[in-house]
Amino acid sequence: MNQKTPKMILKVIPEKCAGCHVCELVCSLHHFSVNNPKKSRIRIQTLFPEPGVNKPVVCRQCKKPACLEACLEGAITIEDGIVKLDEEKCTGCGACVEACPFGSLFTHPDIPYPLKCDLCGGDPQCLLCPKEAIKLVPRDKRGVEE
């Protein structure tokens, strides 16, 4: 298991998010070939309906992931600095979902494992955001604690 830190990471800029859900749609298309935002590995959370404050929620690729510690099956690993979920090893117990302090893992009744951002193998599709509310930046430029 290679645990080096990824050079690039996703940064969300909530004040730019228009709540259009394009990021969710391209994610579900990329991973499941369906146009279904509930099968996305990123979610738009509406904080206040008026005037429409939205926040993209996506895995932060933590250096010390609580989801990895919570997984008793060893289904979560760090490979090339990316926190990955092995869908074959996962039993769907949901311990990782509950352990994530950022709410960045999601479930769907049709899918037997949690949905977690894997940075699309290095080519994040959510970067198609028309408002540029999601950016790929060097890890040290993200500006958040982990």
Side-chain angles (χ1 to χ4, degrees), residues 93-120:
C93 72
C96 59
V97 176
E98 291 192 25
C100 178
F102 306 108
S104 300
L105 285 91
F106 312 104
T107 58
H108 188 282
D110 294 347
I111 302 168
Y113 51 85
L115 302 174
K116 192 208 144 316
C117 178
D118 59 3
L119 296 175
C120 295

Side-chain angles (χ1 to χ4, degrees), residues 57-120:
V57 178
V58 66
C59 178
R60 295 178 179 218
Q61 305 298 334
C62 299
K63 292 179 185 176
K64 296 179 184 175
C67 60
L68 184 147
E69 298 297 323
C71 181
L72 300 176
E73 303 301 322
I76 298 179
T77 58
I78 300 175
E79 298 173 25
D80 295 324
I82 300 171
V83 182
K84 294 188 177 183
L85 173 73
D86 184 331
E87 298 161 5
E88 299 291 320
K89 285 185 180 178
C90 181
T91 62
C93 72
C96 59
V97 176
E98 291 192 25
C100 178
F102 306 108
S104 300
L105 285 91
F106 312 104
T107 58
H108 188 282
D110 294 347
I111 302 168
Y113 51 85
L115 302 174
K116 192 208 144 316
C117 178
D118 59 3
L119 296 175
C120 295

